[in-house]
Amino acid sequence: MPHPTPPSVLRRPQLWIGTGLIAAVVSMLFALLYVGGNVNPRGNLHDLPVALVNADSGADAGGRHVNMGEQIVAGIQKAAKGDKSIDWQLVSREEADKRLGKGKVFGALVIPKDFTATVTALGAPQPAPQGKAAPPTLTVLTNQAAGSIGSSMSSQAAQKAAHAASAQLGQELLKQAGAQKAPLPTAAQLKLADPVTVTVADGHPVGSRSAMGLSAFYYALVLVVCGMLGANLVNSQVDTALGYLHTDYGPVRKREPVQHTSRVRTLAIGMALMLGMSLVMGTLVEVATVTILDMDASHLGLLWLYSVATIAVVGIGSLALFAAFGTPGMLLATIVFVAMAVPSSGATVPVQALPGFFRALSEFEPLRQITEGLRSLLYYGAQADAGLTRAWASMGVALVAALVFGFAVTFLYDRRGLHRIPLPGAGTGTPAEPPASPEAAAPATA
């Protein structure tokens, strides 16, 4: 039988159709998932949590007690009824700091204790000497540790609300000034028209070597990729050791004698090897990022354990997919752990700014849970309720699901006699794989 030539192989329709269909599906799927999840975050924004703090103690003006902080809160809440993009959470300053320190809110708008006093001082008939009057101030707090885009959206919403409140107060102050007999200079009128100074501060600072709050996401992505690559490596190495695959070293091809074993045992061998590789890979990831790259990190022991566990779970999950679906399982693992996981992770664009489909994915896709656990470890002092408990719980559920699914499917295959290589005398009419011969290690020839 003549050897096939490249042109003859390329003329086969099934080669083009099969490869083309897979390439078309993969490219379309990745484009829809990656771009679809992030193409319109403002249009999809819904219930972004932002703290609203009213510490204003009020002041006496015109014979009555006035609290302008309450007026601002009422105005913001009234506007929020027609705009569901921001979830304003009215809390104390202490509670706001706690929520910022756990990533529960993306920012805060703080009305200070002396707000009313400083505003009424501007409209007093005899204001304090120039340079001594404290201007009314509203403070916007950001939280990059919760995500830079979410923090930016929160900051913009809080600043918009603060400036709107300033404009409203300015109208009231101008009316009061107009009721006075003495006309105000133009400069004073301009000052009263927009009396509030809006300042922006970091509500929960992150280190300078934390990728501006994105180091948790990049670290999580490295762990997921290591788990997938480790599973691919383990899968091929186990198959090579059992004689199911050959190994090419340049022009030399080597193949071990076939060792017939069940699919269940093959999967168990791969998972055991994956656990060992996870120890190595998790250790080296932490050494590379923390020791060599000097990434900001604390709780290094917990970080190491989390890294090893994450790689192990992702690797075992990938091996279960490989065992159940064969070669297509590798593509399926890429879709599950990367294509659907990255846009639904909430690591760059917050979950509150994702379309509904991706919000649903974020409830179980692993990358979101992994990232939130790492945020707790890297930014929030390893607090359990800052995402770490949910991350460990999700990891445990994923591990159990992978073990049950992988071993259930391979057990079913074994029970039905669907062996990877027919056993001798199995009655299939197909001869068993011959043992490797010395010529198997010889240089390949045309």
Side-chain angles (χ1 to χ4, degrees), residues 281-335:
M281 299 175 80
T283 301
L284 293 179
V285 168
E286 183 168 335
V287 168
T289 54
V290 178
T291 303
I292 299 177
L293 298 177
D294 194 27
M295 182 185 76
D296 290 327
S298 57
H299 304 280
L300 298 184
L302 281 175
L303 180 61
W304 174 83
L305 181 62
Y306 190 90
S307 302
V308 171
T310 299
I311 293 174
V313 172
V314 173
I316 289 173
S318 299
L319 288 173
L321 293 176
F322 299 167
F325 299 103
T327 302
M330 298 182 182
L331 178 59
L332 185 59
T334 304
I335 294 173

Side-chain angles (χ1 to χ4, degrees), residues 159-222:
Q159 290 184 60
K160 181 179 178 181
H163 287 299
S166 178
Q168 181 64 34
L169 290 174
Q171 292 179 7
E172 296 179 7
L173 290 175
L174 287 175
K175 287 181 181 178
Q176 295 175 11
Q180 299 176 12
K181 296 181 179 179
L184 287 176
T186 302
Q189 293 181 18
L190 292 175
K191 183 178 180 180
L192 290 180
D194 188 14
V196 179
T197 299
V198 180
T199 62
V200 180
D202 198 338
H204 184 78
V206 294
S208 60
R209 301 188 67 84
S210 62
M212 299 177 68
L214 287 174
S215 58
F217 168 64
Y218 292 128
Y219 196 101
L221 195 57
V222 168

Side-chain angles (χ1 to χ4, degrees), residues 88 95 111 130 149 151 182 188 198 207 222 261 263 289 341 350 358 433:
W88 294 99
E95 179 63 22
I111 305 171
Q130 187 175 3
I149 293 181
S151 177
V198 180
V222 168
T261 187
R263 291 177 181 267
T289 54
F358 292 93
E433 184 76 10

Side-chain angles (χ1 to χ4, degrees), residues 130-432:
Q130 187 175 3
K132 293 185 178 181
T137 302
L138 294 175
T139 302
V140 174
L141 300 179
T142 61
N143 190 7
Q144 284 194 335
S148 56
I149 293 181
S151 177
S152 175
M153 288 180 166
S154 166
S155 176
Q156 292 174 15
Q159 290 184 60
K160 181 179 178 181
H163 287 299
S166 178
Q168 181 64 34
L169 290 174
Q171 292 179 7
E172 296 179 7
L173 290 175
L174 287 175
K175 287 181 181 178
Q176 295 175 11
Q180 299 176 12
K181 296 181 179 179
L184 287 176
T186 302
Q189 293 181 18
L190 292 175
K191 183 178 180 180
L192 290 180
D194 188 14
V196 179
T197 299
V198 180
T199 62
V200 180
D202 198 338
H204 184 78
V206 294
S208 60
R209 301 188 67 84
S210 62
M212 299 177 68
L214 287 174
S215 58
F217 168 64
Y218 292 128
Y219 196 101
L221 195 57
V222 168
L223 296 181
V224 170
V225 171
C226 284
M228 292 180 57
L229 293 179
N232 276 280
L233 175 63
V234 166
N235 189 58
S236 62
Q237 291 298 102
V238 170
D239 282 352
T240 299
L242 295 176
Y244 293 132
L245 293 178
H246 62 262
T247 303
D248 289 329
Y249 298 99
V252 178
R253 171 169 294 185
K254 182 180 180 181
R255 185 162 193 166
E256 299 291 336
V258 175
Q259 302 178 42
H260 293 283
T261 187
S262 66
R263 291 177 181 267
V264 169
R265 290 176 181 172
T266 302
L267 180 59
I269 294 170
M271 288 184 174
L273 183 58
M274 187 68 229
L275 289 175
M277 293 301 100
S278 300
L279 291 170
V280 176
M281 299 175 80
T283 301
L284 293 179
V285 168
E286 183 168 335
V287 168
T289 54
V290 178
T291 303
I292 299 177
L293 298 177
D294 194 27
M295 182 185 76
D296 290 327
S298 57
H299 304 280
L300 298 184
L302 281 175
L303 180 61
W304 174 83
L305 181 62
Y306 190 90
S307 302
V308 171
T310 299
I311 293 174
V313 172
V314 173
I316 289 173
S318 299
L319 288 173
L321 293 176
F322 299 167
F325 299 103
T327 302
M330 298 182 182
L331 178 59
L332 185 59
T334 304
I335 294 173
V336 171
F337 291 113
V338 178
M340 293 194 303
V342 172
S344 63
S345 65
T348 50
V349 175
V351 173
Q352 293 82 2
L354 296 175
F357 171 73
F358 292 93
R359 291 192 196 192
L361 282 181
S362 69
E363 293 300 320
F364 61 86
E365 270 293 337
L367 191 56
R368 181 194 176 189
Q369 330 306 331
I370 296 169
T371 302
E372 288 188 349
L374 283 168
R375 279 176 173 163
S376 176
L377 287 170
L378 297 178
Y379 312 142
Y380 302 133
Q383 298 179 83
D385 56 348
L388 192 56
T389 297
R390 174 172 175 162
W392 279 117
S394 300
M395 211 178 296
V397 171
L399 178 60
V400 172
L403 292 173
V404 171
F405 174 73
F407 284 114
V409 172
T410 51
F411 176 78
L412 180 63
Y413 289 167
D414 287 336
R415 187 172 182 178
R416 293 188 176 182
L418 301 174
H419 304 293
R420 300 181 68 188
I421 295 179
L423 299 174
T428 61
T430 304

Side-chain angles (χ1 to χ4, degrees), residues 41-60:
R42 290 197 176 280
N44 296 313
L45 187 62
H46 187 79
D47 288 339
L48 186 77
V50 180
L52 179 58
V53 178
N54 181 23
D56 188 12
S57 58
D60 294 327

